[in-house]
Amino acid sequence: ILRRRYRRIDINGIKYNINMKIKKNMKNNWNEDIVNHFRFESMYENEVKIEQRITEFVEINCNLEDSESEQNLVDDLMNEVYKPLNLI
């Protein structure tokens, strides 16, 4: 089951239109702008602060599916933010 979610959000004064596609029982596909926003912040803040901000983001902007928890979404987005980038 593929569901599309469109939502306009504001993170620290920056507005984003997000298209977050979620597949049940599969990995979340986070909007690239959201991931890049938190990657940018992670260059200036420690990991604890970024996790707090991601937790706040998830609590406010994400709707849970049947088998999801907010912590699952936080962990998944944290993994995306801190995933090594292939720049080649």
Side-chain angles (χ1 to χ4, degrees), residues 1-60:
I1 297 172
L2 178 64
R3 300 178 73 197
R4 291 182 182 238
R5 298 182 195 169
Y6 296 92
R7 188 169 192 177
R8 186 164 180 82
I9 62 168
D10 184 316
I11 302 176
N12 297 333
I14 302 169
K15 294 189 182 342
Y16 295 98
N17 287 318
I18 63 170
N19 171 9
M20 191 168 68
K21 294 181 253 180
I22 304 282
K23 290 184 182 180
K24 286 189 177 185
N25 301 321
M26 298 190 77
K27 185 177 182 246
N28 297 310
N29 294 309
W30 294 99
N31 177 285
E32 187 177 333
D33 289 337
I34 300 301
V35 174
N36 288 336
H37 171 81
F38 287 113
R39 278 187 184 146
F40 177 78
E41 283 193 353
S42 73
M43 293 187 286
Y44 299 97
E45 297 285 354
N46 63 43
E47 192 170 337
V48 172
K49 188 70 168 177
I50 297 303
E51 186 169 10
Q52 290 171 347
R53 290 183 179 168
I54 287 176
T55 300
E56 182 180 316
F57 167 78
V58 167
E59 288 172 353
I60 294 170

Side-chain angles (χ1 to χ4, degrees), residues 27-28 30 35 38-39 47 50-51 54 71-85:
K27 185 177 182 246
N28 297 310
W30 294 99
V35 174
F38 287 113
R39 278 187 184 146
E47 192 170 337
I50 297 303
E51 186 169 10
I54 287 176
Q71 190 59 50
N72 293 132
L73 295 177
V74 169
D75 292 343
D76 188 58
L77 185 50
M78 286 288 290
N79 288 335
E80 285 295 311
V81 168
Y82 287 99
K83 179 172 69 175
L85 297 176

